[in-house]
Amino acid sequence: MIDHLVLGCADLEEGRAWLRREAQIELLPGGSHPGRGTCNALGSLGAGCYLELLAPDPEQGVPVVELASLAQPALVHWAVRATPLHQVHARAQDVGCSTAGPADWERHTASGALLRWQLLFLAGHGAGAAMPFFIDWLDSPHPSQATSPCGELLGLQVSSPQAERVRDVIGDDLPLAVLTTAAEPALRARLQTHAGEVLLDAASPFPQGLA
């Protein structure tokens, strides 16, 4: 299933203000990713899915160029929940993708609780951020259960010249994701919020992903 959408921005508080103004979406501070250079804010989209606003963490001082260069918030990636990750690893290798991970990540929540999870990124597929990354929350509670609702995910449109390769890896069991083959890659999420139906699009140029 779709685990979360990653909306990138250059500054976390400015990104939160943009979402508040443009979509009536209120995200709550999540935490910092030690050693990764990023921090986030979160909001639940229902059905075990959430929206993550990801920005450079000024307290870490680690350059995150792909986020710092964004003029306004934009989709930079999406995540699919998969357990265990080694099954995705095998499918990815079967279609000629290289892999990075599974890698251990962790952060403390605003309440001080420690979350631990594993991420698997794919490379060599030519699909950029149309190819999701994969996450296993291990024994941590899912973030959608620990943050306030900000809306509902209605659907995610994923377009890429490599759509078939993406489908070969993720399978067909993602009811909210629609994959289409197109000359120009695109990501577009449809959300239902207090502002009505809201569209979130990928940045231009199309993001290459977080791997």
Side-chain angles (χ1 to χ4, degrees), residues 159-174:
S159 302
S160 171
Q162 301 294 331
E164 285 304 315
R165 177 172 279 188
V166 175
R167 186 175 287 106
D168 286 342
V169 175
I170 68 175
D172 295 316
D173 191 25
L174 290 176

PDB file of all heavy atoms in Angstrom, residues 159-174:
ATOM      1  N   SER A 159       3.227   8.884 -13.811  1.00  0.00           N
ATOM      2  CA  SER A 159       3.470   8.757 -15.251  1.00  0.00           C
ATOM      3  C   SER A 159       4.970   8.687 -15.499  1.00  0.00           C
ATOM      4  O   SER A 159       5.747   9.423 -14.885  1.00  0.00           O
ATOM      5  CB  SER A 159       2.890   9.951 -16.012  1.00  0.00           C
ATOM      6  OG  SER A 159       1.506  10.068 -15.779  1.00  0.00           O
ATOM      7  N   SER A 160       5.368   7.812 -16.409  1.00  0.00           N
ATOM      8  CA  SER A 160       6.792   7.653 -16.696  1.00  0.00           C
ATOM      9  C   SER A 160       6.976   6.872 -17.987  1.00  0.00           C
ATOM     10  O   SER A 160       6.156   5.991 -18.303  1.00  0.00           O
ATOM     11  CB  SER A 160       7.486   6.907 -15.552  1.00  0.00           C
ATOM     12  OG  SER A 160       8.812   6.557 -15.906  1.00  0.00           O
ATOM     13  N   PRO A 161       8.049   7.148 -18.743  1.00  0.00           N
ATOM     14  CA  PRO A 161       8.389   6.276 -19.865  1.00  0.00           C
ATOM     15  C   PRO A 161       8.714   4.852 -19.395  1.00  0.00           C
ATOM     16  O   PRO A 161       8.656   3.912 -20.184  1.00  0.00           O
ATOM     17  CB  PRO A 161       9.618   6.952 -20.480  1.00  0.00           C
ATOM     18  CG  PRO A 161       9.559   8.372 -20.012  1.00  0.00           C
ATOM     19  CD  PRO A 161       8.940   8.313 -18.657  1.00  0.00           C
ATOM     20  N   GLN A 162       9.045   4.716 -18.114  1.00  0.00           N
ATOM     21  CA  GLN A 162       9.401   3.416 -17.540  1.00  0.00           C
ATOM     22  C   GLN A 162       8.289   2.857 -16.649  1.00  0.00           C
ATOM     23  O   GLN A 162       8.562   2.121 -15.699  1.00  0.00           O
ATOM     24  CB  GLN A 162      10.696   3.554 -16.728  1.00  0.00           C
ATOM     25  CG  GLN A 162      11.889   4.032 -17.507  1.00  0.00           C
ATOM     26  CD  GLN A 162      12.329   3.027 -18.566  1.00  0.00           C
ATOM     27  OE1 GLN A 162      12.137   1.828 -18.392  1.00  0.00           O
ATOM     28  NE2 GLN A 162      12.898   3.510 -19.653  1.00  0.00           N
ATOM     29  N   ALA A 163       7.045   3.177 -16.962  1.00  0.00           N
ATOM     30  CA  ALA A 163       5.928   2.757 -16.114  1.00  0.00           C
ATOM     31  C   ALA A 163       5.853   1.240 -15.960  1.00  0.00           C
ATOM     32  O   ALA A 163       5.528   0.726 -14.882  1.00  0.00           O
ATOM     33  CB  ALA A 163       4.612   3.295 -16.665  1.00  0.00           C
ATOM     34  N   GLU A 164       6.156   0.487 -17.014  1.00  0.00           N
ATOM     35  CA  GLU A 164       6.085  -0.973 -16.918  1.00  0.00           C
ATOM     36  C   GLU A 164       7.128  -1.505 -15.948  1.00  0.00           C
ATOM     37  O   GLU A 164       6.869  -2.457 -15.208  1.00  0.00           O
ATOM     38  CB  GLU A 164       6.250  -1.607 -18.300  1.00  0.00           C
ATOM     39  CG  GLU A 164       5.026  -1.472 -19.185  1.00  0.00           C
ATOM     40  CD  GLU A 164       3.775  -2.043 -18.531  1.00  0.00           C
ATOM     41  OE1 GLU A 164       3.859  -3.158 -17.972  1.00  0.00           O
ATOM     42  OE2 GLU A 164       2.731  -1.371 -18.564  1.00  0.00           O
ATOM     43  N   ARG A 165       8.294  -0.903 -15.941  1.00  0.00           N
ATOM     44  CA  ARG A 165       9.325  -1.342 -14.999  1.00  0.00           C
ATOM     45  C   ARG A 165       8.903  -1.033 -13.567  1.00  0.00           C
ATOM     46  O   ARG A 165       9.112  -1.838 -12.665  1.00  0.00           O
ATOM     47  CB  ARG A 165      10.664  -0.679 -15.325  1.00  0.00           C
ATOM     48  CG  ARG A 165      11.770  -1.041 -14.352  1.00  0.00           C
ATOM     49  CD  ARG A 165      13.115  -0.533 -14.803  1.00  0.00           C
ATOM     50  NE  ARG A 165      13.695  -1.414 -15.796  1.00  0.00           N
ATOM     51  CZ  ARG A 165      14.945  -1.294 -16.249  1.00  0.00           C
ATOM     52  NH1 ARG A 165      15.712  -0.304 -15.813  1.00  0.00           N
ATOM     53  NH2 ARG A 165      15.442  -2.147 -17.119  1.00  0.00           N
ATOM     54  N   VAL A 166       8.285   0.132 -13.381  1.00  0.00           N
ATOM     55  CA  VAL A 166       7.770   0.475 -12.056  1.00  0.00           C
ATOM     56  C   VAL A 166       6.735  -0.557 -11.628  1.00  0.00           C
ATOM     57  O   VAL A 166       6.761  -1.062 -10.500  1.00  0.00           O
ATOM     58  CB  VAL A 166       7.167   1.892 -12.049  1.00  0.00           C
ATOM     59  CG1 VAL A 166       6.532   2.197 -10.695  1.00  0.00           C
ATOM     60  CG2 VAL A 166       8.236   2.931 -12.373  1.00  0.00           C
ATOM     61  N   ARG A 167       5.828  -0.906 -12.537  1.00  0.00           N
ATOM     62  CA  ARG A 167       4.766  -1.873 -12.221  1.00  0.00           C
ATOM     63  C   ARG A 167       5.355  -3.255 -11.913  1.00  0.00           C
ATOM     64  O   ARG A 167       4.855  -3.971 -11.040  1.00  0.00           O
ATOM     65  CB  ARG A 167       3.775  -1.956 -13.379  1.00  0.00           C
ATOM     66  CG  ARG A 167       2.569  -2.823 -13.079  1.00  0.00           C
ATOM     67  CD  ARG A 167       1.549  -2.799 -14.192  1.00  0.00           C
ATOM     68  NE  ARG A 167       0.828  -1.521 -14.246  1.00  0.00           N
ATOM     69  CZ  ARG A 167       1.009  -0.585 -15.155  1.00  0.00           C
ATOM     70  NH1 ARG A 167       1.906  -0.758 -16.122  1.00  0.00           N
ATOM     71  NH2 ARG A 167       0.336   0.532 -15.137  1.00  0.00           N
ATOM     72  N   ASP A 168       6.410  -3.630 -12.627  1.00  0.00           N
ATOM     73  CA  ASP A 168       7.027  -4.930 -12.375  1.00  0.00           C
ATOM     74  C   ASP A 168       7.558  -5.025 -10.950  1.00  0.00           C
ATOM     75  O   ASP A 168       7.571  -6.105 -10.359  1.00  0.00           O
ATOM     76  CB  ASP A 168       8.178  -5.172 -13.358  1.00  0.00           C
ATOM     77  CG  ASP A 168       7.695  -5.484 -14.768  1.00  0.00           C
ATOM     78  OD1 ASP A 168       6.513  -5.846 -14.928  1.00  0.00           O
ATOM     79  OD2 ASP A 168       8.501  -5.350 -15.707  1.00  0.00           O
ATOM     80  N   VAL A 169       7.991  -3.893 -10.402  1.00  0.00           N
ATOM     81  CA  VAL A 169       8.554  -3.904  -9.054  1.00  0.00           C
ATOM     82  C   VAL A 169       7.466  -3.808  -8.001  1.00  0.00           C
ATOM     83  O   VAL A 169       7.472  -4.545  -7.013  1.00  0.00           O
ATOM     84  CB  VAL A 169       9.572  -2.755  -8.873  1.00  0.00           C
ATOM     85  CG1 VAL A 169      10.062  -2.702  -7.427  1.00  0.00           C
ATOM     86  CG2 VAL A 169      10.752  -2.939  -9.821  1.00  0.00           C
ATOM     87  N   ILE A 170       6.506  -2.904  -8.186  1.00  0.00           N
ATOM     88  CA  ILE A 170       5.528  -2.662  -7.114  1.00  0.00           C
ATOM     89  C   ILE A 170       4.311  -3.573  -7.202  1.00  0.00           C
ATOM     90  O   ILE A 170       3.554  -3.692  -6.230  1.00  0.00           O
ATOM     91  CB  ILE A 170       5.068  -1.187  -7.094  1.00  0.00           C
ATOM     92  CG1 ILE A 170       4.227  -0.847  -8.329  1.00  0.00           C
ATOM     93  CG2 ILE A 170       6.253  -0.251  -6.952  1.00  0.00           C
ATOM     94  CD1 ILE A 170       3.656   0.552  -8.295  1.00  0.00           C
ATOM     95  N   GLY A 171       4.085  -4.221  -8.362  1.00  0.00           N
ATOM     96  CA  GLY A 171       2.912  -5.061  -8.514  1.00  0.00           C
ATOM     97  C   GLY A 171       1.662  -4.242  -8.805  1.00  0.00           C
ATOM     98  O   GLY A 171       1.729  -3.035  -9.080  1.00  0.00           O
ATOM     99  N   ASP A 172       0.516  -4.876  -8.715  1.00  0.00           N
ATOM    100  CA  ASP A 172      -0.757  -4.230  -9.071  1.00  0.00           C
ATOM    101  C   ASP A 172      -1.657  -3.969  -7.876  1.00  0.00           C
ATOM    102  O   ASP A 172      -2.805  -3.565  -8.039  1.00  0.00           O
ATOM    103  CB  ASP A 172      -1.526  -5.102 -10.077  1.00  0.00           C
ATOM    104  CG  ASP A 172      -0.793  -5.227 -11.398  1.00  0.00           C
ATOM    105  OD1 ASP A 172      -0.293  -4.203 -11.891  1.00  0.00           O
ATOM    106  OD2 ASP A 172      -0.715  -6.355 -11.915  1.00  0.00           O
ATOM    107  N   ASP A 173      -1.156  -4.190  -6.675  1.00  0.00           N
ATOM    108  CA  ASP A 173      -2.017  -4.110  -5.495  1.00  0.00           C
ATOM    109  C   ASP A 173      -1.880  -2.766  -4.788  1.00  0.00           C
ATOM    110  O   ASP A 173      -1.658  -2.691  -3.587  1.00  0.00           O
ATOM    111  CB  ASP A 173      -1.673  -5.250  -4.530  1.00  0.00           C
ATOM    112  CG  ASP A 173      -2.705  -5.394  -3.423  1.00  0.00           C
ATOM    113  OD1 ASP A 173      -3.858  -4.981  -3.644  1.00  0.00           O
ATOM    114  OD2 ASP A 173      -2.356  -5.915  -2.345  1.00  0.00           O
ATOM    115  N   LEU A 174      -1.995  -1.682  -5.550  1.00  0.00           N
ATOM    116  CA  LEU A 174      -1.962  -0.325  -4.987  1.00  0.00           C
ATOM    117  C   LEU A 174      -3.178   0.413  -5.528  1.00  0.00           C
ATOM    118  O   LEU A 174      -3.087   1.155  -6.514  1.00  0.00           O
ATOM    119  CB  LEU A 174      -0.672   0.406  -5.366  1.00  0.00           C
ATOM    120  CG  LEU A 174       0.621  -0.089  -4.720  1.00  0.00           C
ATOM    121  CD1 LEU A 174       1.813   0.680  -5.284  1.00  0.00           C
ATOM    122  CD2 LEU A 174       0.587   0.033  -3.215  1.00  0.00           C
TER     123      LEU A 174
END
